[in-house]
PDB file of all heavy atoms in Angstrom:
ATOM      1  N   ASP I 150     172.802  85.222  88.573  1.00 97.00           N
ATOM      2  CA  ASP I 150     173.765  84.137  88.296  1.00 97.00           C
ATOM      3  C   ASP I 150     173.946  84.192  86.726  1.00 97.00           C
ATOM      4  O   ASP I 150     173.030  84.585  85.952  1.00 97.00           O
ATOM      5  CB  ASP I 150     173.291  82.826  88.745  1.00 97.00           C
ATOM      6  CG  ASP I 150     174.422  81.752  88.776  1.00 97.00           C
ATOM      7  OD1 ASP I 150     175.604  82.153  88.589  1.00 97.00           O
ATOM      8  OD2 ASP I 150     174.137  80.599  88.961  1.00 97.00           O
ATOM      9  N   TYR I 151     175.137  83.847  86.323  1.00 98.00           N
ATOM     10  CA  TYR I 151     175.504  83.821  84.877  1.00 98.00           C
ATOM     11  C   TYR I 151     176.289  82.587  84.580  1.00 98.00           C
ATOM     12  O   TYR I 151     177.070  82.133  85.404  1.00 98.00           O
ATOM     13  CB  TYR I 151     176.311  85.080  84.556  1.00 98.00           C
ATOM     14  CG  TYR I 151     175.683  86.396  84.839  1.00 98.00           C
ATOM     15  CD1 TYR I 151     175.793  86.998  86.070  1.00 98.00           C
ATOM     16  CD2 TYR I 151     174.947  87.012  83.819  1.00 98.00           C
ATOM     17  CE1 TYR I 151     175.182  88.187  86.318  1.00 98.00           C
ATOM     18  CE2 TYR I 151     174.346  88.267  84.106  1.00 98.00           C
ATOM     19  CZ  TYR I 151     174.417  88.821  85.345  1.00 98.00           C
ATOM     20  OH  TYR I 151     173.834  90.028  85.603  1.00 98.00           O
ATOM     21  N   VAL I 152     176.130  82.129  83.276  1.00 98.00           N
ATOM     22  CA  VAL I 152     177.004  81.096  82.862  1.00 98.00           C
ATOM     23  C   VAL I 152     178.422  81.649  82.770  1.00 98.00           C
ATOM     24  O   VAL I 152     178.547  82.908  82.368  1.00 98.00           O
ATOM     25  CB  VAL I 152     176.526  80.445  81.564  1.00 98.00           C
ATOM     26  CG1 VAL I 152     176.546  81.477  80.354  1.00 98.00           C
ATOM     27  CG2 VAL I 152     177.268  79.205  81.177  1.00 98.00           C
ATOM     28  N   ASP I 153     179.420  80.944  82.909  1.00 98.00           N
ATOM     29  CA  ASP I 153     180.851  81.469  82.950  1.00 98.00           C
ATOM     30  C   ASP I 153     181.128  82.229  81.676  1.00 98.00           C
ATOM     31  O   ASP I 153     181.827  83.235  81.658  1.00 98.00           O
ATOM     32  CB  ASP I 153     181.829  80.392  83.218  1.00 98.00           C
ATOM     33  CG  ASP I 153     181.819  79.904  84.655  1.00 98.00           C
ATOM     34  OD1 ASP I 153     181.220  80.636  85.503  1.00 98.00           O
ATOM     35  OD2 ASP I 153     182.413  78.856  84.906  1.00 98.00           O
ATOM     36  N   SER I 154     180.645  81.728  80.521  1.00 97.00           N
ATOM     37  CA  SER I 154     181.080  82.280  79.180  1.00 97.00           C
ATOM     38  C   SER I 154     180.571  83.697  78.978  1.00 97.00           C
ATOM     39  O   SER I 154     181.022  84.367  78.082  1.00 97.00           O
ATOM     40  CB  SER I 154     180.562  81.358  78.071  1.00 97.00           C
ATOM     41  OG  SER I 154     179.177  81.244  78.131  1.00 97.00           O
ATOM     42  N   VAL I 155     179.626  84.158  79.817  1.00 98.00           N
ATOM     43  CA  VAL I 155     179.022  85.503  79.585  1.00 98.00           C
ATOM     44  C   VAL I 155     179.333  86.478  80.801  1.00 98.00           C
ATOM     45  O   VAL I 155     178.992  87.611  80.749  1.00 98.00           O
ATOM     46  CB  VAL I 155     177.545  85.438  79.312  1.00 98.00           C
ATOM     47  CG1 VAL I 155     177.205  84.494  78.137  1.00 98.00           C
ATOM     48  CG2 VAL I 155     176.756  85.174  80.563  1.00 98.00           C
ATOM     49  N   LYS I 156     179.971  85.915  81.846  1.00 97.00           N
ATOM     50  CA  LYS I 156     180.220  86.765  82.959  1.00 97.00           C
ATOM     51  C   LYS I 156     181.166  87.941  82.537  1.00 97.00           C
ATOM     52  O   LYS I 156     181.998  87.731  81.781  1.00 97.00           O
ATOM     53  CB  LYS I 156     180.921  86.020  84.068  1.00 97.00           C
ATOM     54  CG  LYS I 156     180.009  85.116  84.829  1.00 97.00           C
ATOM     55  CD  LYS I 156     180.625  84.327  85.968  1.00 97.00           C
ATOM     56  CE  LYS I 156     179.641  83.433  86.680  1.00 97.00           C
ATOM     57  NZ  LYS I 156     180.287  82.574  87.705  1.00 97.00           N
ATOM     58  N   ASP I 157     180.839  89.122  83.075  1.00 96.00           N
ATOM     59  CA  ASP I 157     181.555  90.339  82.761  1.00 96.00           C
ATOM     60  C   ASP I 157     181.172  90.923  81.377  1.00 96.00           C
ATOM     61  O   ASP I 157     181.714  91.962  81.049  1.00 96.00           O
ATOM     62  CB  ASP I 157     183.096  90.216  82.868  1.00 96.00           C
ATOM     63  CG  ASP I 157     183.553  89.734  84.247  1.00 96.00           C
ATOM     64  OD1 ASP I 157     182.955  90.177  85.248  1.00 96.00           O
ATOM     65  OD2 ASP I 157     184.482  88.938  84.295  1.00 96.00           O
ATOM     66  N   ARG I 158     180.279  90.223  80.665  1.00 98.00           N
ATOM     67  CA  ARG I 158     179.824  90.764  79.373  1.00 98.00           C
ATOM     68  C   ARG I 158     178.343  91.079  79.381  1.00 98.00           C
ATOM     69  O   ARG I 158     177.877  91.965  78.771  1.00 98.00           O
ATOM     70  CB  ARG I 158     180.222  89.816  78.226  1.00 98.00           C
ATOM     71  CG  ARG I 158     181.672  89.625  78.088  1.00 98.00           C
ATOM     72  CD  ARG I 158     182.015  88.843  76.753  1.00 98.00           C
ATOM     73  NE  ARG I 158     181.456  87.512  76.750  1.00 98.00           N
ATOM     74  CZ  ARG I 158     180.521  87.105  75.835  1.00 98.00           C
ATOM     75  NH1 ARG I 158     180.212  87.877  74.827  1.00 98.00           N
ATOM     76  NH2 ARG I 158     180.109  85.867  75.869  1.00 98.00           N
ATOM     77  N   PHE I 159     177.570  90.135  80.026  1.00 98.00           N
ATOM     78  CA  PHE I 159     176.090  90.263  80.041  1.00 98.00           C
ATOM     79  C   PHE I 159     175.659  90.671  81.381  1.00 98.00           C
ATOM     80  O   PHE I 159     176.257  90.330  82.478  1.00 98.00           O
ATOM     81  CB  PHE I 159     175.503  88.921  79.755  1.00 98.00           C
ATOM     82  CG  PHE I 159     175.637  88.383  78.317  1.00 98.00           C
ATOM     83  CD1 PHE I 159     176.478  89.018  77.417  1.00 98.00           C
ATOM     84  CD2 PHE I 159     174.923  87.294  77.896  1.00 98.00           C
ATOM     85  CE1 PHE I 159     176.668  88.578  76.147  1.00 98.00           C
ATOM     86  CE2 PHE I 159     175.068  86.819  76.574  1.00 98.00           C
ATOM     87  CZ  PHE I 159     175.935  87.439  75.713  1.00 98.00           C
ATOM     88  N   THR I 160     174.576  91.409  81.511  1.00 98.00           N
ATOM     89  CA  THR I 160     173.990  91.870  82.728  1.00 98.00           C
ATOM     90  C   THR I 160     172.443  91.638  82.674  1.00 98.00           C
ATOM     91  O   THR I 160     171.809  92.185  81.740  1.00 98.00           O
ATOM     92  CB  THR I 160     174.286  93.292  83.012  1.00 98.00           C
ATOM     93  OG1 THR I 160     175.705  93.491  83.041  1.00 98.00           O
ATOM     94  CG2 THR I 160     173.718  93.734  84.401  1.00 98.00           C
ATOM     95  N   ILE I 161     171.916  90.990  83.646  1.00 97.00           N
ATOM     96  CA  ILE I 161     170.469  90.817  83.764  1.00 97.00           C
ATOM     97  C   ILE I 161     169.942  91.892  84.723  1.00 97.00           C
ATOM     98  O   ILE I 161     170.586  92.173  85.751  1.00 97.00           O
ATOM     99  CB  ILE I 161     170.091  89.409  84.198  1.00 97.00           C
ATOM    100  CG1 ILE I 161     168.588  89.236  84.087  1.00 97.00           C
ATOM    101  CG2 ILE I 161     170.605  89.072  85.597  1.00 97.00           C
ATOM    102  CD1 ILE I 161     168.101  87.768  84.328  1.00 97.00           C
ATOM    103  N   SER I 162     168.776  92.488  84.423  1.00 94.00           N
ATOM    104  CA  SER I 162     168.231  93.469  85.263  1.00 94.00           C
ATOM    105  C   SER I 162     166.725  93.510  85.062  1.00 94.00           C
ATOM    106  O   SER I 162     166.220  92.725  84.179  1.00 94.00           O
ATOM    107  CB  SER I 162     168.782  94.871  84.956  1.00 94.00           C
ATOM    108  OG  SER I 162     168.475  95.220  83.665  1.00 94.00           O
ATOM    109  N   ARG I 163     165.972  94.277  85.839  1.00 91.00           N
ATOM    110  CA  ARG I 163     164.570  94.333  85.648  1.00 91.00           C
ATOM    111  C   ARG I 163     164.041  95.722  85.972  1.00 91.00           C
ATOM    112  O   ARG I 163     164.646  96.491  86.675  1.00 91.00           O
ATOM    113  CB  ARG I 163     163.843  93.286  86.526  1.00 91.00           C
ATOM    114  CG  ARG I 163     163.837  93.649  87.985  1.00 91.00           C
ATOM    115  CD  ARG I 163     163.005  92.587  88.709  1.00 91.00           C
ATOM    116  NE  ARG I 163     162.579  93.047  90.033  1.00 91.00           N
ATOM    117  CZ  ARG I 163     163.008  92.444  91.126  1.00 91.00           C
ATOM    118  NH1 ARG I 163     163.827  91.423  91.110  1.00 91.00           N
ATOM    119  NH2 ARG I 163     162.547  92.923  92.261  1.00 91.00           N
ATOM    120  N   ASP I 164     162.839  95.958  85.482  1.00 90.00           N
ATOM    121  CA  ASP I 164     162.080  97.192  85.717  1.00 90.00           C
ATOM    122  C   ASP I 164     160.756  96.750  86.347  1.00 90.00           C
ATOM    123  O   ASP I 164     159.906  96.184  85.654  1.00 90.00           O
ATOM    124  CB  ASP I 164     161.899  97.961  84.389  1.00 90.00           C
ATOM    125  CG  ASP I 164     161.181  99.290  84.669  1.00 90.00           C
ATOM    126  OD1 ASP I 164     160.296  99.376  85.597  1.00 90.00           O
ATOM    127  OD2 ASP I 164     161.497 100.238  83.905  1.00 90.00           O
ATOM    128  N   ASN I 165     160.660  96.964  87.676  1.00 84.00           N
ATOM    129  CA  ASN I 165     159.445  96.505  88.382  1.00 84.00           C
ATOM    130  C   ASN I 165     158.165  97.155  87.782  1.00 84.00           C
ATOM    131  O   ASN I 165     157.139  96.505  87.612  1.00 84.00           O
ATOM    132  CB  ASN I 165     159.549  96.853  89.808  1.00 84.00           C
ATOM    133  CG  ASN I 165     160.583  95.957  90.554  1.00 84.00           C
ATOM    134  OD1 ASN I 165     160.945  94.914  89.986  1.00 84.00           O
ATOM    135  ND2 ASN I 165     161.025  96.391  91.687  1.00 84.00           N
ATOM    136  N   ALA I 166     158.214  98.426  87.470  1.00 87.00           N
ATOM    137  CA  ALA I 166     157.038  99.187  87.053  1.00 87.00           C
ATOM    138  C   ALA I 166     156.572  98.607  85.703  1.00 87.00           C
ATOM    139  O   ALA I 166     155.347  98.626  85.480  1.00 87.00           O
ATOM    140  CB  ALA I 166     157.396 100.646  86.915  1.00 87.00           C
ATOM    141  N   LYS I 167     157.478  98.157  84.890  1.00 91.00           N
ATOM    142  CA  LYS I 167     157.136  97.654  83.536  1.00 91.00           C
ATOM    143  C   LYS I 167     157.011  96.102  83.561  1.00 91.00           C
ATOM    144  O   LYS I 167     156.664  95.528  82.502  1.00 91.00           O
ATOM    145  CB  LYS I 167     158.131  98.058  82.504  1.00 91.00           C
ATOM    146  CG  LYS I 167     158.162  99.565  82.335  1.00 91.00           C
ATOM    147  CD  LYS I 167     159.216  99.939  81.229  1.00 91.00           C
ATOM    148  CE  LYS I 167     159.251 101.480  81.007  1.00 91.00           C
ATOM    149  NZ  LYS I 167     160.219 101.803  79.990  1.00 91.00           N
ATOM    150  N   ASN I 168     157.280  95.460  84.683  1.00 91.00           N
ATOM    151  CA  ASN I 168     157.307  93.976  84.715  1.00 91.00           C
ATOM    152  C   ASN I 168     158.125  93.411  83.598  1.00 91.00           C
ATOM    153  O   ASN I 168     157.691  92.439  82.883  1.00 91.00           O
ATOM    154  CB  ASN I 168     155.847  93.412  84.638  1.00 91.00           C
ATOM    155  CG  ASN I 168     155.529  92.604  85.835  1.00 91.00           C
ATOM    156  OD1 ASN I 168     156.066  92.739  86.922  1.00 91.00           O
ATOM    157  ND2 ASN I 168     154.547  91.789  85.675  1.00 91.00           N
ATOM    158  N   THR I 169     159.281  94.005  83.398  1.00 94.00           N
ATOM    159  CA  THR I 169     160.159  93.619  82.305  1.00 94.00           C
ATOM    160  C   THR I 169     161.533  93.284  82.771  1.00 94.00           C
ATOM    161  O   THR I 169     162.090  93.951  83.661  1.00 94.00           O
ATOM    162  CB  THR I 169     160.255  94.788  81.241  1.00 94.00           C
ATOM    163  OG1 THR I 169     158.948  95.072  80.738  1.00 94.00           O
ATOM    164  CG2 THR I 169     161.186  94.408  80.096  1.00 94.00           C
ATOM    165  N   VAL I 170     162.090  92.201  82.190  1.00 95.00           N
ATOM    166  CA  VAL I 170     163.421  91.780  82.481  1.00 95.00           C
ATOM    167  C   VAL I 170     164.302  92.043  81.266  1.00 95.00           C
ATOM    168  O   VAL I 170     163.855  91.840  80.110  1.00 95.00           O
ATOM    169  CB  VAL I 170     163.438  90.244  82.876  1.00 95.00           C
ATOM    170  CG1 VAL I 170     164.880  89.797  83.123  1.00 95.00           C
ATOM    171  CG2 VAL I 170     162.561  90.065  84.076  1.00 95.00           C
ATOM    172  N   TYR I 171     165.480  92.489  81.470  1.00 97.00           N
ATOM    173  CA  TYR I 171     166.429  92.821  80.351  1.00 97.00           C
ATOM    174  C   TYR I 171     167.663  91.949  80.472  1.00 97.00           C
ATOM    175  O   TYR I 171     168.075  91.426  81.515  1.00 97.00           O
ATOM    176  CB  TYR I 171     166.859  94.299  80.468  1.00 97.00           C
ATOM    177  CG  TYR I 171     165.684  95.281  80.473  1.00 97.00           C
ATOM    178  CD1 TYR I 171     165.265  95.788  81.676  1.00 97.00           C
ATOM    179  CD2 TYR I 171     165.086  95.647  79.321  1.00 97.00           C
ATOM    180  CE1 TYR I 171     164.141  96.705  81.659  1.00 97.00           C
ATOM    181  CE2 TYR I 171     164.030  96.518  79.246  1.00 97.00           C
ATOM    182  CZ  TYR I 171     163.516  97.034  80.434  1.00 97.00           C
ATOM    183  OH  TYR I 171     162.482  97.911  80.422  1.00 97.00           O
ATOM    184  N   LEU I 172     168.296  91.722  79.310  1.00 98.00           N
ATOM    185  CA  LEU I 172     169.590  91.179  79.257  1.00 98.00           C
ATOM    186  C   LEU I 172     170.451  92.104  78.373  1.00 98.00           C
ATOM    187  O   LEU I 172     170.279  92.124  77.205  1.00 98.00           O
ATOM    188  CB  LEU I 172     169.503  89.743  78.652  1.00 98.00           C
ATOM    189  CG  LEU I 172     170.868  89.001  78.640  1.00 98.00           C
ATOM    190  CD1 LEU I 172     171.324  88.689  80.017  1.00 98.00           C
ATOM    191  CD2 LEU I 172     170.740  87.679  77.852  1.00 98.00           C
ATOM    192  N   GLN I 173     171.305  92.784  78.995  1.00 98.00           N
ATOM    193  CA  GLN I 173     172.299  93.699  78.341  1.00 98.00           C
ATOM    194  C   GLN I 173     173.445  92.814  77.944  1.00 98.00           C
ATOM    195  O   GLN I 173     174.139  92.201  78.764  1.00 98.00           O
ATOM    196  CB  GLN I 173     172.718  94.829  79.237  1.00 98.00           C
ATOM    197  CG  GLN I 173     173.764  95.774  78.525  1.00 98.00           C
ATOM    198  CD  GLN I 173     173.210  96.515  77.392  1.00 98.00           C
ATOM    199  OE1 GLN I 173     172.069  97.045  77.412  1.00 98.00           O
ATOM    200  NE2 GLN I 173     173.926  96.561  76.276  1.00 98.00           N
ATOM    201  N   MET I 174     173.744  92.739  76.622  1.00 98.00           N
ATOM    202  CA  MET I 174     174.855  91.918  76.103  1.00 98.00           C
ATOM    203  C   MET I 174     175.885  92.787  75.451  1.00 98.00           C
ATOM    204  O   MET I 174     175.557  93.461  74.427  1.00 98.00           O
ATOM    205  CB  MET I 174     174.208  90.899  75.107  1.00 98.00           C
ATOM    206  CG  MET I 174     173.107  90.063  75.651  1.00 98.00           C
ATOM    207  SD  MET I 174     172.604  88.746  74.628  1.00 98.00           S
ATOM    208  CE  MET I 174     171.994  89.667  73.158  1.00 98.00           C
ATOM    209  N   ASN I 175     177.058  92.848  75.996  1.00 98.00           N
ATOM    210  CA  ASN I 175     178.126  93.626  75.463  1.00 98.00           C
ATOM    211  C   ASN I 175     179.266  92.709  74.989  1.00 98.00           C
ATOM    212  O   ASN I 175     179.315  91.512  75.359  1.00 98.00           O
ATOM    213  CB  ASN I 175     178.672  94.569  76.561  1.00 98.00           C
ATOM    214  CG  ASN I 175     177.638  95.517  77.036  1.00 98.00           C
ATOM    215  OD1 ASN I 175     176.771  95.964  76.307  1.00 98.00           O
ATOM    216  ND2 ASN I 175     177.765  95.954  78.322  1.00 98.00           N
ATOM    217  N   SER I 176     180.131  93.278  74.205  1.00 98.00           N
ATOM    218  CA  SER I 176     181.341  92.538  73.714  1.00 98.00           C
ATOM    219  C   SER I 176     180.878  91.176  73.135  1.00 98.00           C
ATOM    220  O   SER I 176     181.458  90.151  73.409  1.00 98.00           O
ATOM    221  CB  SER I 176     182.371  92.292  74.805  1.00 98.00           C
ATOM    222  OG  SER I 176     182.764  93.450  75.381  1.00 98.00           O
ATOM    223  N   LEU I 177     179.856  91.227  72.245  1.00 98.00           N
ATOM    224  CA  LEU I 177     179.315  89.969  71.750  1.00 98.00           C
ATOM    225  C   LEU I 177     180.334  89.305  70.848  1.00 98.00           C
ATOM    226  O   LEU I 177     181.162  89.948  70.129  1.00 98.00           O
ATOM    227  CB  LEU I 177     178.086  90.316  70.942  1.00 98.00           C
ATOM    228  CG  LEU I 177     176.852  90.557  71.841  1.00 98.00           C
ATOM    229  CD1 LEU I 177     175.729  91.262  71.076  1.00 98.00           C
ATOM    230  CD2 LEU I 177     176.245  89.238  72.351  1.00 98.00           C
TER     231      LEU I 177
END
């Protein structure tokens, strides 16, 4: 889920092996 203001610009993802969550932020 995303707040409306970042939809289509930000992407949340994760790497299970690294137990790490990412937030890719484009068009800042």
Side-chain angles (χ1 to χ4, degrees):
D150 196 9
Y151 301 87
V152 67
D153 286 345
S154 60
V155 309
K156 283 180 180 176
D157 300 324
R158 299 189 298 122
F159 290 11
T160 303
I161 187 170
S162 63
R163 74 174 197 244
D164 183 326
N165 288 342
K167 296 181 179 180
N168 239 23
T169 298
V170 178
Y171 302 99
L172 185 67
Q173 178 66 44
M174 305 187 297
N175 299 328
S176 302
L177 282 161

